[in-house]
Amino acid sequence: METKRVQLRPGVWLTYVMEEKFKTACFSVSLLSQLCRDTASMNALIPYVLKRGTNQSPDLQAIQERFDNLYGTSVDPLVFKSGEIQSSGFYASFPEDDFLPEGSDVLRGALSLTMELLLSPATRGGLLLPAYVESERENLADQIAARVNNKRTYAVFRCMEEMCRFEDYAIGRYGDEESCRSIGYRKLSRHYKELLQHAPVEMFYCGRAPFRKITEILSDLTATLPRGELDDEIGTDIRMNSVEEEPRITEEHMDVAQTNLVIGWRLGECMEEPDIPALYVFNAVFGGSPNSRLFLHVREKLHLCYYASSVLDQVKGLLLVSAGIQRENYELARDEIFSQLRLIAEGQISDVELGAAIAAIVSDMRSVPDSQASLQSFCTAQVLRGLEFGPEELAELAQEVTAERVARIAQSVVCDQIYLLSPEEGDEEEEIQEEEAEETT
Amino acid sequence: MMQRREYPMTGDVLYSGTAACGLRVRVLPKKGFTGSYAVFATDYGGTYRRFVLDGQEMDTPAGVAHYLEHKMFDLPDGENALTILSSRGADVNAFTSTDITAYHFQCTEGFEENLRTLLHFVSTPYFTEETVEKERGIIEQEIHMGEDSPGNANYYSLLGLLYQKHPIREKVIGSVESISRITAETLYQCHRAFYRPSNMVLAVAGDVDPEDVLRIVDEELAPADPERPQVLMESDEDLVPAETRSVLQMPVSQPLFLIGAKILPEKEGPALCRQDLVASLAAVMLAGQSSPLYHRLYEQGLLNRRFDCGADRSRGVAYEIFGGESRDPEAVFQALCEEIRRVSEHGFDPALFERMKRVAIGGNLRVMEDFEDVCVSLASAEFDGYCYLDMPAISMELTLAECEDFVRTWLQPERLVMSIVQPPEASQA
């Protein structure tokens, strides 16, 4: 695997990965900006509106015919946040020409169409078409509202939202429903132009084409990208301590069968100089693998749940645990989760479990190059964090992590928020909340 | 010896063989990949509740195949295969569907040792009343998690409309009540009936030597009963549904709908594969992203990007399915019926058909990128009597006429049913 990184134009970067083992290739283009409430849903909405039609192919039917003729090339809006950086753009996947009838040039076709979507939208009087903006605005707002449909991810989102309520990180990657519904086509057109001018642009390609060919095509296709003063001061504010001394507790009720418990911690002081390999290994020991404390104790020993797992946001410095339980087992589950974390902090980590956690991380990292989507997200995340090492280096570094270094992470974390999404049960809510608040002190 | 066959359309080579114990082995060598993937699957799923064992008819509780899958990881001496495999860094898991149970792992190191462990634990039933009991709490939580999933609830209510008798009506996972009747004895019986090598397939993809895989199987698995178990399943022959609507209320943001129609599946083999492909292509041309109907409904705000259509199948049943979210599912239903009438009379646009053929060429390459999907598909296609890698070539043979015939035969509007999950407010309005 050959990887290169180059600046094609001011603030327009390409990460290039040469890989011949796949039958398809991928290309992504991302416009980066600071995540904030005023612009988040506009940034998110832009690729959806752009996908409705270009100058040359002004409606769904015309655009879709071009995708079909490119042997089912897909170009989909790609919107995500990494810490407090929001990224908005497209992800394209297309078959390698080597597998197609002779003379095919899907590579050029797919890259051109992706950049045409980004840079040459269907407009009237220089403005995005009102009908497209209105329809995609409603679709996106509906999609934001549909977060509630998946109770587990909804609970994780709500915990994070409560926990970071004084920080921009609380904003979802699509922004919030209310500001989304208020977007008009004039305002969006203006914002789109500004974004094109000021946003740093990250592109990623993985496939068989030589580096020179890709840079030539992309230099050509980005020639019309307007470039003004770049917003390169974007970044993430890391809060080390909890908002209040004791964890805040929020319980919400819904017509559900299961209670979703989510607990959020700040990673704390260890974020001053993050020990990245140890953070990965810590998560695998605590709740990120089937050999983890949460899986073995909360699920296998106490049989309290089907899932209990942890995730880290290394950029923002957060640890989140989620578990689906019966409401009456809340205290039991919570106490066990805290107790396992405390044991890790005390350094009670066996060689076997440390070895298993390291093996899991090594295997995860070494399989990154087996999937283009994993490569794309790994490389983009590294770039956004300003890190230069690849998955193989991380696998090597993980093997040197000691129990002490893992314990140090557990010692550093500070619990900030407990969130429960539980079945409706009438008027008892307030009483329960008070009671719990006392118990956790 | 493994037989080698080339598949020029996707540039793949497949090795096939049968081990001494009767296990069918399929290996797809993948040069240059770090990870290797293996799935050990049995032709046994949630709907196989009634079967004959030692000449006796058995009727097992709903959820038993899935319960068995959970308990297979336990080994004698308190060992656990999940712990063993994952402690070596392998990513291991299992799933149970309506007609297949599969155990799989992906690893970057120690493939041979991991493969031995996989073959060993899936062939080693070890259950005690105590270990079976302790799993009940975990599975109950999994059941509740499913109850809170609107997609899951909607899917089963669609199946309930389509099928009156077939066990596909019932959840693969079972209910809190049905799993309370599962004992260690039930699990042993089901294992004995369905986990015999002749009823199973091992599919491997990765940078591995096919002959090594066969040798490892021969070393790990002893010869066993070559007979396939006899499964008893009630069939539904009536194509016109008794009820055509079901409405559930759940906390969702806007109505979710599933529209379905029953298809009588071909018995097995390439004909079955071809029918699946025709069924999917007909759905895509009627309402998929490239269809005039989808564009129209999208522009009217009746559909959004979260819409999908195709065909689904399990042993003895097949159905067409269209699903998404809409503020007005009835309007979508009516528009689909109209489009079916129009296509039945005037046919599909031949240009659309030609474009869909090109899309299929790219799609066939894309599906081969996902090892897990490919291995599971290789196994399930074996259970259906064809080779999954023949699918791309068959997809190129489809004709416009057979897609149109399919619509006329199976999708007549009176056969269509719709299941809806809607927010509680919507019903009061």
Side-chain angles (χ1 to χ4, degrees), chain A residues 394-410:
Chain A
L394 194 54
E396 298 288 331
L397 292 169
Q399 295 182 62
E400 288 159 24
V401 172
T402 58
E404 216 182 5
R405 282 164 65 189
V406 171
R408 229 173 282 149
I409 310 279

Side-chain angles (χ1 to χ4, degrees), chain B residues 216-255:
Chain B
I216 294 165
V217 173
D218 282 335
E219 286 167 10
E220 288 296 326
L221 301 183
D225 190 350
E227 218 179 299
R228 300 271 183 88
Q230 190 196 344
V231 181
L232 309 167
M233 248 180 236
E234 296 81 352
S235 62
D236 276 81
E237 301 298 331
D238 197 1
L239 286 166
V240 181
E243 296 273 337
T244 62
R245 288 294 183 279
S246 142
V247 179
L248 292 174
Q249 290 178 16
M250 289 179 82
V252 291
S253 58
Q254 68 167 324

Side-chain angles (χ1 to χ4, degrees), chain A residues 9 27 41 43 59 73 101 115 119 160 186 192 212 220 240 243 259 293 310 322 341 357 390 435:
Chain A
R9 292 198 49 209
F27 169 67
S41 45
N43 289 336
D59 58 32
T73 288
M115 294 309 288
L119 299 175
M160 185 276 300
R186 285 175 191 282
Y192 163 65
R212 265 202 55 193
D220 227 28
M240 307 282 184
V243 173
T259 293
R293 292 296 178 90
S310 66
S322 74
L341 185 61
E435 203 180 296

Side-chain angles (χ1 to χ4, degrees), chain A residues 23-24 68 136 257 291 366 370, chain B residues 10 35 86 148 290 298 369:
Chain A
K23 301 177 200 299
T24 55
D68 295 348
E136 292 307 321
N291 264 311
R366 294 210 165 127
D370 280 354
Chain B
T10 57
S86 60
D148 287 339
S290 300
Y298 192 103
E369 299 279 42

